Amino acid sequence: MTVITIDGPAGSGKSTIGRELAARLGYIYLDTGAMYRAVAWAARENGLDIKDEKAIAVLLEQIELDFDFRSGRVAVNNKDISYLLRSPEMDALSSAVSRLGAVRNHLTHLQRQAGQNGDIVAEGRDMGTVVFPDADFKFFLTADIHERAARRKGQLDALNKTVAYEDILAQISLRDEADSKRTLSPLGPASDAVVIDTTGLMIDDVLKKILTLIKIRQ
Ligand code: DC
């Protein structure tokens, strides 16, 4: 069983590349950001304070979270909520909920379970550092913050969500800071990860780089 981890900040290209890499290799694709987003959505849906760890821990015991690792769809209590998870509001709420130990423990457990199902590309913030420390291949993607904001704007535009570039830049900067400075599992490369700066690179270039490195080391 092979585990490939891809970590990095928002807009570094890790989701697009993770999904494509998994498709090319025929691996399961684990989008762990979507898991944090689903918990944030459920907390908001139930009117909970996103900082109330006890209430959210109770909620986690009560709800059923389902992740389809082939299609990437997410369901809470059998309701498909995938299309509700990509918005600036959910960006901020998922980052806030990801600080809570109860949430991290719960999701880490589910993520490791998913890793037992076969070869996997696991993408997020702490895949190489915490969830799969013994992964076969670890990558950490970065990119210039202006390019990351522009990419995010393109994604939101494609979903017909109009958000000003300056607002996206400010939100990404705040989220980078929150994700990198939190106490539990902060965003950062594992000591044995290959760091790739994707600024100015096309998706295909990055994929080729990753596939070449995997082939060389296999
Ligand atoms: O990758 P994403 O933008 O969908 O992630 C949303 C938030 O979830 C991100 O700001 C931090 C959190 N997250 C995390 O803490 N650990 C992960 N492995 C994945 C996401």
Side-chain angles (χ1 to χ4, degrees):
M1 218 147 62
T2 305
V3 177
I4 300 173
T5 61
I6 304 185
D7 291 301
S12 58
K14 64 189 187 331
S15 299
T16 316
I17 285 159
R19 191 174 297 115
E20 185 61 29
L21 184 66
R24 290 213 192 167
L25 296 171
Y27 285 15
I28 292 170
Y29 168 59
L30 187 65
D31 173 358
T32 61
M35 301 172 99
Y36 285 93
R37 286 168 187 270
V39 172
W41 179 86
R44 196 198 55 175
E45 189 69 2
N46 284 275
L48 302 182
D49 175 355
I50 212 76
K51 294 195 191 103
D52 187 343
E53 183 159 14
K54 275 199 189 130
I56 293 180
V58 172
L59 175 76
L60 286 172
E61 295 310 320
Q62 290 170 343
I63 58 172
E64 193 182 316
L65 292 171
D66 286 308
F67 304 95
D68 182 334
F69 302 124
R70 295 278 165 210
S71 68
R73 304 208 74 79
V74 184
V76 173
N77 293 341
N78 293 319
K79 175 183 161 75
D80 187 341
I81 55 155
S82 317
Y83 65 101
L84 299 170
L85 299 180
R86 306 279 151 196
S87 65
E89 186 197 5
M90 295 311 301
D91 289 351
L93 288 180
S94 57
S95 180
V97 90
S98 74
R99 300 172 64 166
L100 307 178
V103 175
R104 298 211 76 84
N105 288 341
H106 192 84
L107 293 184
T108 296
H109 178 71
L110 290 180
Q111 289 155 9
R112 289 190 180 140
Q113 263 181 351
Q116 320 242 305
N117 290 338
D119 298 325
I120 187 168
V121 175
E123 174 249 301
R125 302 287 187 293
D126 61 341
M127 294 299 103
T129 48
V130 175
V131 180
F132 298 110
D134 300 325
D136 302 86
F137 302 99
K138 297 183 185 179
F139 298 96
F140 189 88
L141 305 187
T142 59
D144 171 76
I145 190 163
H146 296 280
E147 186 161 324
R148 292 195 279 125
R151 288 176 188 167
R152 186 51 71 124
K153 173 141 182 64
Q155 287 166 353
L156 289 170
D157 284 350
L159 294 171
N160 279 327
K161 292 182 181 158
T162 316
V163 186
Y165 168 82
E166 287 71 22
D167 292 343
I168 296 176
L169 186 65
Q171 282 160 7
I172 285 195
S173 163
L174 279 177
R175 200 143 70 97
D176 278 0
E177 166 115 0
D179 290 346
S180 319
K181 295 207 172 142
R182 67 175 178 230
T183 322
L184 300 173
S185 313
L187 165 69
S191 57
D192 51 350
V194 175
V195 179
I196 302 177
D197 185 345
T198 67
T199 312
L201 294 182
M202 305 292 284
I203 303 245
D204 238 31
D205 299 332
V206 183
L207 264 174
K208 266 189 208 138
K209 230 179 210 206
I210 290 180
L211 285 165
T212 309
L213 285 169
I214 290 175
K215 266 189 207 134
I216 292 173
R217 291 222 237 127
Q218 244 170 0

